[in-house]
Amino acid sequence: MRVSTRFSDSVHILAFIEIYQDQRLSSELIANSIETSPVVVRRLMSTLRESGLIATKKGTAEPKLSKSPHEITLLDVYLATERAKQLFTLDTNTNPDCIVGGNIQKVLGSYYEDAKMAALRKFNNVSLQDIIETILVEQKAKEHNVQ
Amino acid sequence: MRVSTRFSDSVHILAFIEIYQDQRLSSELIANSIETSPVVVRRLMSTLRESGLIATKKGTAEPKLSKSPHEITLLDVYLATERAKQLFTLDTNTNPDCIVGGNIQKVLGSYYEDAKMAALRKFNNVSLQDIIETILVEQKAKEHNVQ
DNA sequence: ATTACTTGTAAAATCAAAAGTTACAGATAT
DNA sequence: ATATCTGTAACTTTTGATTTTACAAGTAAT
């Protein structure tokens, strides 16, 4: 299948909303930065709204973060966009009558869970503020190199 | 797209080969445990062979592990089957002329890398032997409960 | 209150990575 | 010789995701 870029794009949207909070933030403008369609942006924003990360008003192009960027972590965004998606996928259709097929799902699944948790813990230690600040530093570095 | 079960199925194959090493291990027999087709098994085994995890001989149903199950980790299998696949996927098509679109890939990518590494470190601490032993314990527990 | 612009969704179309299938050349072993 | 396998290539199917199309309904400014 196609690879999901929802998580990445959702972080993008949140950073964009914060950085350009003084401008008219239409889904079209945001879509232009992500290089996708406005509908995709609105759909992702629906999810972010349902998860309490942003507030929007129908008819007006004024989305706002519901919390300070210090209080939003990558984990919040991950959970909002990917829900309970398995990070490492088990083959859930193995032969239950075989010693291996009948037990591997539980066994591997538990190690998968450990690994996933290690990754998500990292995400819980990175805030949207961290992302934004790093983006701004990278941008300045880029501008500096040009001169 | 479909979700890849190559990693899971490859671990399955390795555990199966070790546990049933005294039997005739045709791709058909293994496929029966995974509930897939023999061709899929042979394809996965090709990859495992290229990565030096198993040795096979064309025409004979006698695959063997190339190393002791103590020396094969989940990370070895992961790297063999998923190669450099991104665990968390970046949207690689964002607007370079926007401050956010032009920098988010590098910034997010680095946090993604940290999280991926945390997960892979966990995998590097789990051996095929651990998997096999846990499968056998689970099996005994299952049989015990039946009585 | 009309006009232009928006959001929020639903529904259908398209895409692409992966599994599944078919076919077959070539190796092995009895 | 015969039966059974492996190893691959080529093609088809599946399916989760994006993309597109369409439209009802809210907002704001003239």
Side-chain angles (χ1 to χ4, degrees):
Chain A
M1 63 176 160
R2 276 200 192 179
V3 167
S4 167
T5 54
R6 275 174 299 185
F7 179 29
S8 282
D9 291 341
S10 294
V11 174
H12 191 140
I13 290 171
L14 294 172
F16 197 95
I17 289 176
E18 177 65 13
I19 291 176
Y20 295 107
Q21 57 185 295
D22 295 329
Q23 301 188 21
R24 205 184 106 280
L25 292 168
S26 67
S27 57
E28 173 134 28
L29 182 72
I30 300 175
N32 192 260
S33 172
I34 302 184
E35 294 199 344
T36 182
S37 78
V39 175
V40 169
V41 171
R42 295 204 289 274
R43 206 152 43 198
L44 289 172
M45 287 177 72
S46 283
T47 302
L48 294 173
R49 178 163 32 76
E50 282 165 16
S51 296
L53 297 178
I54 63 174
T56 61
K57 207 163 67 173
K58 187 170 184 179
T60 64
E62 298 173 348
K64 302 222 179 306
L65 298 187
S66 298
K67 309 180 195 175
S68 146
H70 291 280
E71 292 168 333
I72 297 177
T73 71
L74 283 187
L75 180 60
D76 295 327
V77 186
Y78 181 81
L79 294 177
T81 53
E82 303 289 354
R83 309 269 168 174
K85 180 185 131 180
Q86 290 182 111
L87 184 53
F88 301 100
T89 31
L90 287 173
D91 185 339
T92 54
N93 177 221
T94 56
N95 190 337
D97 300 329
C98 167
I99 291 178
V100 180
N103 295 291
I104 195 165
Q105 291 181 37
K106 182 174 180 183
V107 174
L108 247 194
S110 137
Y111 290 117
Y112 280 9
E113 204 48 46
D114 290 347
K116 176 178 179 178
M117 195 55 68
L120 296 194
R121 283 171 54 196
K122 290 284 178 188
F123 284 154
N124 201 34
N125 287 324
V126 181
S127 69
L128 178 58
Q129 183 68 26
D130 294 330
I131 301 284
I132 291 170
E133 286 178 12
T134 314
I135 285 174
L136 296 179
V137 168
E138 288 290 349
Q139 178 63 22
K140 280 210 179 171
K142 207 187 278 182
E143 287 166 3
H144 182 74
N145 286 335
V146 167
Q147 292 155 14
Chain B
M1 63 178 157
R2 274 203 194 172
V3 168
S4 167
T5 55
R6 275 175 300 185
F7 179 29
S8 283
D9 291 340
S10 295
V11 174
H12 191 140
I13 290 171
L14 294 172
F16 197 94
I17 289 176
E18 176 67 12
I19 291 176
Y20 295 108
Q21 57 185 296
D22 296 328
Q23 300 190 22
R24 205 185 105 280
L25 292 169
S26 68
S27 57
E28 172 134 27
L29 182 72
I30 299 175
N32 192 259
S33 171
I34 301 184
E35 294 198 345
T36 183
S37 78
V39 176
V40 169
V41 170
R42 295 203 289 272
R43 209 151 43 194
L44 290 172
M45 288 177 71
S46 282
T47 301
L48 294 173
R49 178 163 33 76
E50 282 165 16
S51 296
L53 296 178
I54 63 173
T56 61
K57 206 162 68 173
K58 189 169 182 179
T60 65
E62 297 173 350
K64 302 223 179 305
L65 298 187
S66 298
K67 309 179 195 178
S68 145
H70 291 280
E71 293 168 330
I72 296 176
T73 71
L74 283 188
L75 179 60
D76 295 326
V77 187
Y78 180 81
L79 294 176
T81 53
E82 304 289 353
R83 309 268 169 176
K85 180 185 133 181
Q86 290 182 111
L87 185 53
F88 301 100
T89 31
L90 287 172
D91 185 338
T92 54
N93 178 220
T94 57
N95 190 337
D97 300 328
C98 166
I99 291 179
V100 180
N103 295 290
I104 194 164
Q105 292 181 34
K106 181 173 180 185
V107 173
L108 247 193
S110 135
Y111 290 117
Y112 280 8
E113 205 48 47
D114 290 348
K116 177 178 179 177
M117 196 54 67
L120 296 194
R121 284 171 54 196
K122 290 284 179 188
F123 284 155
N124 202 33
N125 288 323
V126 181
S127 69
L128 179 58
Q129 182 69 24
D130 292 331
I131 300 285
I132 291 170
E133 286 180 12
T134 314
I135 285 174
L136 296 178
V137 168
E138 288 290 350
Q139 178 64 21
K140 280 210 179 170
K142 208 188 274 182
E143 286 167 2
H144 182 75
N145 286 334
V146 167
Q147 291 154 14

